[in-house]
Amino acid sequence: MPGEVLSNRETVNKRPRVIVVHEWLATIGGSENVATAMIDAFPGSELFCLWRSPGASVEGVTVAESVLGRRPFRNRKMLSLPLMPMVWRNTPIRHRTEDVGLVSSHLFAHHVRVARGMKKLVYVHTPARYIWEPSLDSRGDGLMARLASSLLKPLDRYRAQEATDIAANSKFVRDRINKVWGRDARVIYPPVDVAEIRAVADWSSVLSSDEQAAYDALPPKFILGASRFVSYKRLDIVIRAGEVAGLPVVLAGGGPDEALINSLAASAKVDVTVLSRPSTQLLRALYQKALLYVFPPVEDFGIMPVEAMAAGTPVLANRVGGASETVTEGKTGALFDADDEASLLSGLNRALSLDTAGISDHALPFSRDRFQNEIRAWVAEHSAVKAPHPGHTFK
């Protein structure tokens, strides 16, 4: 019968077979970390994505790509964008036999058509920001983008109803899902390499010779800003924080606005050092050395503030967004209003006066192990129930 629950014995003996679905596989990023942690949680599972960026792979995992993995679409997001909803409806996943399609979505992956009887569990980094929150994503600002959004919103909302269940990466995103899709969602915070960061007492001891030279040339005390070099990350506010506090600033990252970042650094009232594309080891060494990590953007979750806390460094984060759920006022840092200088000054004073001794412990609830345990429990909850009636499918 539809909805019939398996017996306890059947449930215990049943190991769910899972295929992981992800937008596209880039070389590094928070969503890619989620996808790989999902795969590791279910050994033997395969990964399906639209395409793989050059050099992107998951060791020991079969990765299948869509037709967009072929030229001229491969790795070209804006060229592929109009085709994505249609491609997701016509992938080989609709013929697969796994019990669960575990979908990592921040654009259209939740549109994927799964096989009849397969559960579709969607982990949402955010509903597509350029469609639903153009003020937070410049890709949604243009006239053509706004016209496309008006057409895509009803389809996006409709496809979201197909999910068996939805998980959000923060309460902030859960509220957005409810607002734009009309769906409830549980919150499963994404994985952060907390244990790895905490395992090395001095990350500067594992740097290459060139990295060590750059590290040694830094001021003894500084405020850190680290992110992609794009406008919405608001690294100008990190520089302003250094000016207000009278402290040097280090900006670490890379991206299309690197020239602008260098220009802002050159005109700042304090010394600003820009480190382009630091390695993971150097970034962790910077976390450990910094007096404070400043995080001004409105983010859906914000992995880097948790990484900074894991390194024992206090964080000053935007009061709006997912980072407000990880930074604990008076214990791991402070929250501020990004465009209010009085709030910035007050937040700096509170964060810089903290005792840093226990900050690293507060990052433990966001570990990779915790994420995988919650994902396994989520899948088990739904794979223990028989599939929908064979006559029911989505078009």
Side-chain angles (χ1 to χ4, degrees):
M1 294 290 293
E4 180 184 354
V5 179
L6 298 175
S7 70
N8 288 339
R9 182 172 180 177
E10 287 175 307
T11 301
V12 170
N13 292 336
K14 180 179 174 62
R15 173 178 290 182
R17 295 169 302 135
V18 173
I19 183 168
V20 176
V21 180
H22 184 58
E23 301 281 1
W24 51 76
L25 190 62
T27 52
I28 189 170
S31 65
E32 283 74 25
N33 290 340
V34 166
T36 56
M38 287 176 171
I39 293 167
D40 290 345
F42 298 96
S45 59
E46 298 181 11
L47 173 66
F48 185 91
C49 59
L50 294 178
W51 65 74
R52 282 182 287 181
S53 298
S57 63
V58 183
E59 186 176 352
V61 174
T62 300
V63 180
E65 301 176 69
S66 76
V67 295
L68 295 181
R70 305 170 189 167
R71 295 183 182 276
F73 299 101
R74 182 183 183 86
N75 207 38
R76 298 179 68 180
K77 298 173 190 175
M78 297 314 293
L79 181 63
S80 302
L81 191 64
L83 300 175
M84 288 181 187
M86 178 182 66
V87 169
W88 279 121
R89 302 306 289 175
N90 294 280
T91 71
I93 296 170
R94 68 190 192 277
H95 303 304
R96 299 288 296 230
T97 61
E98 283 87 354
D99 303 299
V100 174
L102 188 56
V103 182
S104 163
S105 179
H106 57 80
L107 189 54
F108 294 131
H110 64 284
H111 289 217
V112 66
R113 182 191 298 176
V114 301
R116 186 175 297 180
M118 183 188 292
K119 301 299 180 65
K120 183 162 73 169
L121 302 183
V122 181
Y123 185 89
V124 182
H125 306 275
T126 179
R129 283 163 59 129
Y130 89 94
I131 295 176
W132 295 105
E133 296 285 348
S135 62
L136 300 178
D137 192 323
S138 60
R139 291 174 299 180
D141 285 344
L143 176 61
M144 292 303 296
R146 290 197 298 271
L147 289 173
S149 294
S150 66
L151 298 174
L152 286 169
K153 282 180 179 180
L155 176 64
D156 198 59
R157 186 183 296 112
Y158 177 73
R159 295 300 180 206
Q161 309 313 309
E162 297 180 356
T164 306
D165 199 14
I166 296 175
N169 71 351
S170 66
K171 297 174 185 175
F172 183 64
V173 168
R174 180 188 63 192
D175 292 343
R176 185 182 295 162
I177 290 169
N178 186 265
K179 175 184 176 183
V180 304
W181 288 347
R183 289 289 306 261
D184 292 327
R186 68 187 66 202
V187 174
I188 301 177
Y189 289 117
V192 183
D193 291 327
V194 172
E196 283 187 22
I197 294 171
R198 285 165 54 94
V200 178
D202 181 8
W203 278 96
S204 69
S205 67
V206 298
L207 299 179
S208 69
S209 56
D210 288 345
E211 290 172 336
Q212 188 68 55
Y215 179 85
D216 290 342
L218 295 175
K221 296 180 179 181
F222 60 84
I223 287 174
L224 175 65
S227 70
R228 288 191 67 224
F229 290 165
V230 291
S231 59
Y232 88 88
K233 296 293 186 178
R234 301 299 309 272
L235 290 171
D236 58 307
I237 294 179
V238 182
I239 294 175
R240 184 59 187 151
E243 292 174 338
V244 169
L247 289 167
V249 172
V250 173
L251 301 178
D257 287 353
E258 189 160 344
L260 174 61
I261 295 299
N262 282 311
S263 175
L264 292 173
S267 61
K269 298 175 183 177
V270 292
D271 290 336
V272 179
T273 303
V274 179
L275 296 177
S276 182
R277 293 171 174 80
S279 67
T280 298
Q281 292 82 2
L282 178 55
L283 178 60
R284 291 173 179 177
L286 294 174
Y287 285 143
Q288 288 181 332
K289 187 171 185 178
L291 287 176
L292 178 69
Y293 175 66
V294 178
F295 190 73
V298 177
E299 281 285 14
D300 304 315
F301 173 73
I303 285 177
M304 299 185 87
V306 180
E307 291 179 338
M309 290 186 291
T313 300
V315 175
L316 178 62
N318 195 322
R319 193 182 307 279
V320 179
S324 66
E325 299 170 39
T326 63
V327 177
T328 304
E329 181 74 47
K331 292 185 178 179
T332 66
L335 303 174
F336 77 113
D337 300 309
D339 293 310
D340 184 329
E341 185 143 325
S343 180
L344 173 62
L345 176 59
S346 175
L348 282 167
N349 289 333
R350 298 195 310 276
L352 288 169
S353 65
L354 286 176
D355 179 357
T356 63
I359 288 177
S360 181
D361 293 338
H362 287 276
L364 289 172
F366 303 99
S367 71
R368 186 181 179 90
D369 285 346
R370 183 273 320 159
F371 171 80
Q372 290 180 321
N373 288 337
E374 291 188 30
I375 289 292
R376 290 190 194 101
W378 186 35
V379 168
E381 175 186 332
H382 289 283
S383 60
V385 179
K386 285 189 175 179
H389 190 276
H392 177 73
T393 186
F394 290 101
K395 302 296 184 183

